[in-house]
Amino acid sequence: MLMKNLIVQLPRGLQARHTALFVCKVVAFKSEVILSKDGKTASGKDIMKIMDLVVREGDEITLLVDGCDKQMAMETLKKYLSNLT
């Protein structure tokens, strides 16, 4: 399992549009993805649970990825949340 703490750099954070794009990226991988913020967790494939985390620009989150393609998934999602793509 890979775990990374990171600061979300997306403008307005994970609001509806960014969350939908995030979920699209997650479902492209076989690995399980978990987002965690302030003690609450959400599956990376569950748009409503991610929205419930209320992730804003500048918030620190923990990204957990486990599975056969975890390295590629972690890099892709980390770049997306850091607004590098």
Side-chain angles (χ1 to χ4, degrees):
M1 177 178 285
L2 299 177
M3 182 173 86
K4 178 77 176 164
N5 291 329
L6 55 106
I7 304 295
V8 175
Q9 300 296 322
L10 294 169
R12 294 178 302 282
L14 282 174
Q15 290 185 347
R17 180 176 174 272
H18 287 135
T19 302
L21 292 170
F22 180 81
V23 171
C24 285
K25 291 181 182 299
V26 170
V27 298
F29 296 102
K30 294 179 181 172
S31 292
E32 180 180 354
V33 175
I34 303 291
L35 278 171
S36 177
K37 179 188 167 215
D38 297 334
K40 292 171 45 178
T41 62
S43 167
K45 296 178 182 178
D46 189 334
I47 192 167
M48 296 309 291
K49 293 283 187 182
I50 296 171
M51 297 281 292
D52 284 345
L53 294 177
V54 191
V55 177
R56 295 184 175 95
E57 183 178 10
D59 285 352
E60 182 177 2
I61 63 165
T62 303
L63 185 62
L64 297 125
V65 182
D66 192 28
C68 61
D69 53 2
K70 62 187 172 196
Q71 292 285 22
M72 181 61 86
M74 178 62 85
E75 285 304 310
T76 300
L77 300 173
K78 185 172 69 171
K79 282 182 183 178
Y80 178 70
L81 292 169
S82 299
N83 202 24
L84 298 175
T85 57

